[in-house]
Amino acid sequence: MSRTKIENWEEKELSHPLNKPLTSRRSFEGPVMHRRCSDGSCLIIFLVCNLGLVAIIIYSLYAGNQKLLTAPYDFRASLCGEGNLSKESYGFFVNPLETTNIVVCLSGCPAYTVEYGVCLYDTDLSIDINQCFSTYPSKPYKNKYCIPAEKDKRKKVYEFIDDRNIENWAGDIVRSWDLLLLSGIFTSILGTLWLIVFKVKLGFLRVLIYLNLALFFVLIEGLSYEIFKEGDREEDRLCEDKGPVVMESCSFDHLNRWRISSYVLGILGLIWFFNLIFCNDTRSAWNLLKFGNLALVKQVVPLLIPFFGSIFALFFFCAIWILVTFGLSLADYEIIDENLVIGGQVKEVTYNPYIRLATLSGLLICLWWLSFISHLIQMLGNGLACFHYFSYEKNKSMIFPTLKLIFTYHLGTICYSSVLLPALSSPRSTLSGLKRDLKARENCLSNFLLFLYSPMFACLESWLKYYTEIFYSFQILWGNDFMNSSKQSYFLTRRNKGRQDSMMLSLSKLTFQIQINLFLIPSVLVILWIHYRDETINGEYTRYIGSIVFPISFGCLIGGFISQLYGGFIRGIINGTIISYLCEFEMIAPEDRLCPTEFAQIISNFESSELDKTKIESSPIKLGEKEANMDESELIDEMGDFQKRNNDRDFENIISFEDLRQSITLKEPKRDMEIVEDLEEDYKPVFTERKKNSGFEHFSQNLIFRS
């Protein structure tokens, strides 16, 4: 495969049946009301999966036991600290050199060696002979097990604990659930306050952009430092001497993992921070904030939409918590032979892999629900912007017609896209960037890579490139199904690439600044509480939380969801406005457009910067002395020749140089580009406004030519 193949794909894309301007209309009134349900089959699949989710949750609540995750069990599979053993909460391995199958429950960990100091008891067999073992110096670990002080005896105990890491980590979520709930509520409130500032105090948002950057630096580097400290915390709990118990030759095997993770996170955080600091899109981000503010400035209810979404999602976070805690505790009891015990048998807790698979399936369905909610909120943002853009009554609430449209026709599409878009967005972006970079290089390595990845590029060209979130706006306007809306929105943006590329790039950087902080806040709050407070809100001792792995992971899930709610809502509003503008630009004559003056000025800011870049990239030819000295009449004559060479185009509706560049057929490229540049740069008095009553006064200023 060579670059010619990519060029063939691009030529094929230009001739695609859907790659043609939208039908011109003089009275397009916004979202089409006569439509039908889209992607209904996916909605049916979603509902059937939820029946399975309900069944799994009910069975987990009925058969699961959270105590298996937070308490040890003895050689008869009886839980320490429960029932007849309510006062004995520590698990003691009576012979760790031989086996870890024999555990007895004690009220405390022995600190000295006592011959025959601990005896087996029996909860389900009647025996006449007590069997006793000698104790050894030990210390409590994670409020569950007694860890031997001698190095040789610790080896199998470590292996026993490591084999049950998933259960131990799930137990940490049981102990820290209140911290996770508090951090989620705090993050939701913070996101709502951000939206309120976005609506009410637009002038403060410029400062807020820089505050976001500072907060990001504090959060990411603070999290890196606390992860570094977590390694020391784990080592101290495991190896620190306790009273007369001296831990012999103790070392924490996973200490380096924590420190390497801390260094990597800190370095990546610095790279991202400086990337955001030195990017030149602050002005663009500011304009985009004004962009989205137009659809919210007269309304209050939409500001609470993401918050209501987070409240609704609380049910599914509870479902995830149930599946993680009760589902992972679904256990069987297996009788195994053990010669060191009278009777020759002990009981061991085992976990059925099929039950674990069912629990994992339930978790995936819950994640599907969370993705569904976030994409629903994003589509609501798109709908609000589209309805507002084409509405003659800007003060009228747009939330209810948007909700009616989505819930009546497009829930199936949200079910479909909430699975595909999160899964495919990263591969699509990676392959698109790789294809663009490889095409720009002509050497043996690039040709080899193009050949090597040709199957992936084929997938990208055939369907993957269409899967972007901008399709929501197109679907709100036209009501097509997922695939058709994706293709049509893709070709719409491709035809207007110069108009929307810089806006989309600035939009992604802006929302990243907002989302990354909301993503980090829950995890940072949880780890700070665990490290610097003795008890959780519910009264659990934080020293009993064995590891921060699961609490941080759950916090990242909460933060990621909330950040997607608020960032997706803002992206939806801005995407909806951009797509509405592009549709109107292709379909409607300038005098009939509804684009407000403020919005047109924002568009003008983006297009002016894009024109400067286009001029530098595509037209490096400088004007000659003859053209630079032309008077007005000579320029008009040149314009006449220019129109004759392009007589297959309609110039009546061309209102800007960007339109001209995209519409002309360059039959004499060098000469035509010189004329366009001359008209644009040196003879602005030649240009005047066309049809001032169109609402484009600011947009068309100094950009309209007269024939």
Side-chain angles (χ1 to χ4, degrees):
M1 177 182 173
S2 65
R3 292 195 304 173
T4 306
K5 185 67 174 177
I6 295 181
E7 292 168 356
N8 291 339
W9 275 333
E10 293 176 348
E11 291 178 5
K12 185 178 179 181
E13 182 179 280
L14 292 175
S15 61
H16 194 282
L18 294 178
N19 192 16
K20 56 186 179 181
L22 300 175
T23 304
S24 179
R25 301 182 183 183
R26 296 181 63 85
S27 59
F28 182 69
E29 297 179 354
V32 175
M33 292 294 118
H34 298 290
R35 56 181 71 195
R36 59 182 181 179
C37 294
S38 59
D39 305 295
S41 58
C42 193
L43 179 59
I44 295 174
I45 294 173
F46 184 60
L47 294 176
V48 171
C49 290
N50 277 280
L51 294 178
L53 174 63
V54 172
I56 295 170
I57 290 176
I58 292 175
Y59 180 71
S60 298
L61 289 172
Y62 173 75
N65 184 359
Q66 283 185 334
K67 293 294 184 179
L68 278 174
L69 305 176
T70 57
Y73 54 88
D74 67 5
F75 68 105
R76 296 300 183 193
S78 298
L79 286 173
C80 300
E82 297 291 320
N84 295 331
L85 302 173
S86 58
K87 295 182 180 180
E88 290 80 26
S89 58
Y90 292 93
F92 181 77
F93 300 89
V94 297
N95 193 355
L97 289 175
E98 299 287 337
T99 180
T100 54
N101 291 331
I102 308 175
V103 180
V104 296
C105 298
L106 301 178
S107 58
C109 294
Y112 302 97
T113 300
V114 178
E115 189 174 1
Y116 303 115
V118 58
C119 298
L120 299 184
Y121 49 84
D122 206 297
T123 59
D124 59 356
L125 294 175
S126 297
I127 56 176
D128 297 328
I129 302 174
N130 289 329
Q131 185 176 7
C132 299
F133 296 85
S134 299
T135 62
Y136 50 81
S138 61
K139 59 174 279 189
Y141 179 63
K142 296 183 180 180
N143 197 38
K144 292 178 68 172
Y145 296 107
C146 297
I147 300 296
E150 298 178 30
K151 180 180 179 180
D152 294 338
K153 292 181 178 179
R154 282 200 304 268
K155 183 177 180 181
K156 286 192 175 182
V157 174
Y158 283 173
E159 293 175 356
F160 176 88
I161 295 174
D162 286 343
D163 288 342
R164 288 156 178 77
N165 266 340
I166 294 180
E167 291 78 24
N168 294 332
W169 291 342
D172 295 332
I173 289 183
V174 174
R175 291 190 173 100
S176 60
W177 67 269
D178 48 345
L179 303 182
L180 294 168
L181 178 62
L182 177 66
S183 64
I185 293 174
F186 177 79
T187 307
S188 294
I189 294 174
L190 193 65
T192 304
L193 291 176
W194 200 100
L195 280 182
I196 291 174
V197 173
F198 179 41
K199 175 184 181 298
V200 178
K201 274 288 186 184
L202 191 60
F204 182 65
L205 283 177
R206 193 187 297 271
V207 178
L208 195 60
I209 292 175
Y210 295 104
L211 290 178
N212 264 323
L213 290 174
L215 181 60
F216 168 72
F217 178 80
V218 171
L219 289 175
I220 196 70
E221 298 306 318
L223 184 60
S224 174
Y225 173 72
E226 294 302 327
I227 288 176
F228 184 91
K229 283 187 61 178
E230 178 64 16
D232 295 334
R233 172 176 173 263
E234 287 272 7
E235 185 177 43
D236 290 343
R237 289 194 308 164
L238 188 63
C239 299
E240 187 179 24
D241 298 337
K242 184 175 178 63
V245 179
V246 178
M247 303 301 288
E248 177 186 313
S249 302
C250 184
S251 63
F252 180 50
D253 295 337
H254 303 317
L255 179 62
N256 288 334
R257 296 182 188 177
W258 286 106
R259 292 186 174 176
I260 292 173
S261 300
S262 171
Y263 296 147
V264 170
L265 181 62
I267 293 171
L268 290 178
L270 284 174
I271 293 173
W272 270 109
F273 177 72
F274 286 112
N275 179 55
L276 293 174
I277 282 288
F278 293 111
C279 74
N280 297 320
D281 285 339
T282 304
R283 177 183 175 85
S284 299
W286 168 246
N287 285 328
L288 279 170
L289 291 172
K290 291 195 280 187
F291 218 26
N293 179 264
L294 297 176
L296 292 177
V297 70
K298 301 293 185 181
Q299 304 185 47
V300 177
V301 175
L303 296 176
L304 300 177
I305 288 176
F307 184 77
F308 290 148
S310 62
I311 296 299
F312 182 61
L314 181 62
F315 293 102
F316 299 98
F317 280 110
C318 290
I320 293 175
W321 184 80
I322 290 172
L323 290 172
V324 169
T325 57
F326 285 92
L328 291 180
S329 67
L330 292 170
D332 296 325
Y333 300 98
E334 181 181 356
I335 296 177
I336 59 176
D337 295 330
E338 182 55 68
N339 296 327
L340 296 178
V341 178
I342 294 177
Q345 291 181 334
V346 297
K347 285 184 179 179
E348 184 180 29
V349 176
T350 59
Y351 298 93
N352 191 317
Y354 296 104
I355 294 179
R356 287 285 172 92
L357 183 61
T359 302
L360 177 61
S361 301
L363 289 173
L364 292 177
I365 297 170
C366 289
L367 293 178
W368 191 1
W369 257 110
L370 296 179
S371 180
F372 174 87
I373 295 171
S374 66
H375 281 262
L376 173 62
I377 299 300
Q378 187 169 346
M379 194 172 187
L380 279 171
N382 281 271
L384 285 172
C386 292
F387 272 98
H388 179 270
Y389 189 98
F390 288 101
S391 174
Y392 289 95
E393 301 178 23
K394 301 299 184 184
N395 294 331
K396 184 178 179 181
S397 176
M398 307 299 171
I399 182 65
F400 298 109
T402 306
L403 284 171
K404 180 180 178 181
L405 203 67
I406 294 174
F407 278 87
T408 305
Y409 299 106
H410 301 308
L411 286 180
T413 299
I414 299 178
C415 294
Y416 192 16
S417 60
S418 60
V419 172
L420 290 181
L421 293 185
L424 299 178
S425 60
S426 294
R428 178 187 57 78
S429 302
T430 302
L431 287 174
S432 298
L434 182 61
K435 188 186 78 170
R436 183 176 57 251
D437 292 341
L438 292 179
K439 181 190 172 185
R441 293 171 173 82
E442 182 63 44
N443 53 51
C444 295
L445 178 60
S446 63
N447 289 333
F448 172 74
L449 291 175
L450 285 170
F451 173 78
L452 183 65
Y453 294 117
S454 58
M456 298 182 185
F457 289 136
C459 292
L460 176 69
E461 292 299 319
S462 59
W463 54 275
L464 185 58
K465 65 183 180 183
Y466 303 123
Y467 290 1
T468 61
E469 62 187 16
I470 60 175
F471 91 93
Y472 283 126
S473 303
F474 205 91
Q475 186 174 57
I476 287 288
L477 289 173
W478 300 101
N480 298 325
D481 61 12
F482 173 80
M483 201 62 217
N484 284 324
S485 297
S486 298
K487 289 182 178 180
Q488 289 176 302
S489 60
Y490 172 81
F491 287 117
L492 174 67
T493 55
R494 290 292 293 174
R495 289 193 301 272
N496 296 273
K497 188 175 178 62
R499 294 181 176 281
Q500 56 87 34
D501 261 11
S502 61
M503 289 187 280
M504 293 298 184
L505 180 62
S506 299
L507 175 59
S508 63
K509 291 185 177 181
L510 168 65
T511 53
F512 176 81
Q513 291 183 26
I514 301 168
Q515 289 181 262
I516 190 63
N517 289 335
L518 296 180
F519 172 77
L520 291 173
I521 284 172
S523 298
V524 173
L525 289 178
V526 169
I527 194 173
L528 287 176
W529 194 293
I530 291 173
H531 282 179
Y532 297 103
R533 302 282 293 182
D534 294 330
E535 295 182 357
T536 67
I537 301 172
N538 195 40
E540 288 277 357
Y541 289 108
T542 55
R543 65 178 180 272
Y544 295 158
I545 297 176
S547 174
I548 61 171
V549 172
F550 257 36
I552 279 189
S553 300
F554 212 91
C556 287
L557 177 62
I558 294 173
F561 171 75
I562 294 175
S563 69
Q564 180 60 28
L565 276 186
Y566 288 90
F569 184 65
I570 294 173
R571 277 201 316 276
I573 291 175
I574 298 175
N575 280 337
T577 311
I578 294 174
I579 296 300
S580 297
Y581 162 71
L582 295 179
C583 288
E584 185 187 50
F585 185 87
E586 286 197 350
M587 292 173 13
I588 303 176
E591 67 272 14
D592 297 320
R593 294 176 185 168
L594 296 170
C595 180
T597 302
E598 298 88 347
F599 175 69
Q601 182 60 49
I602 296 170
I603 288 287
S604 178
N605 292 337
F606 278 101
E607 291 189 340
S608 298
S609 61
E610 191 66 25
L611 280 172
D612 293 338
K613 185 172 69 173
T614 304
K615 183 172 57 182
I616 293 171
E617 293 177 352
S618 63
S619 182
I621 306 169
K622 301 299 181 182
L623 289 177
E625 184 177 349
K626 175 184 176 182
E627 289 82 359
N629 293 324
M630 285 182 180
D631 60 21
E632 183 174 334
S633 61
E634 289 176 313
L635 275 174
I636 292 176
D637 292 338
E638 290 288 349
M639 192 65 206
D641 294 337
F642 175 79
Q643 287 182 320
K644 289 177 182 178
R645 293 196 298 274
N646 295 276
N647 56 14
D648 55 333
R649 310 301 296 179
D650 177 17
F651 285 90
E652 289 301 319
N653 291 328
I654 300 297
I655 65 169
S656 74
F657 284 103
E658 181 64 14
D659 303 339
L660 190 61
R661 291 181 185 277
Q662 294 184 2
S663 299
I664 62 175
T665 305
L666 293 178
K667 297 179 179 178
E668 296 185 25
K670 178 178 178 180
R671 187 173 183 80
D672 289 353
M673 274 299 177
E674 288 176 348
I675 292 173
V676 173
E677 288 185 354
D678 196 358
L679 292 171
E680 181 179 354
E681 295 294 331
D682 296 297
Y683 290 89
K684 288 184 179 179
V686 174
F687 301 94
T688 104
E689 296 181 3
R690 173 182 289 172
K691 299 175 182 176
K692 291 186 177 180
N693 59 354
S694 64
F696 274 79
E697 289 85 358
H698 296 287
F699 175 55
S700 57
Q701 187 175 9
N702 292 330
L703 291 177
I704 309 303
F705 68 85
R706 76 179 178 206
S707 58

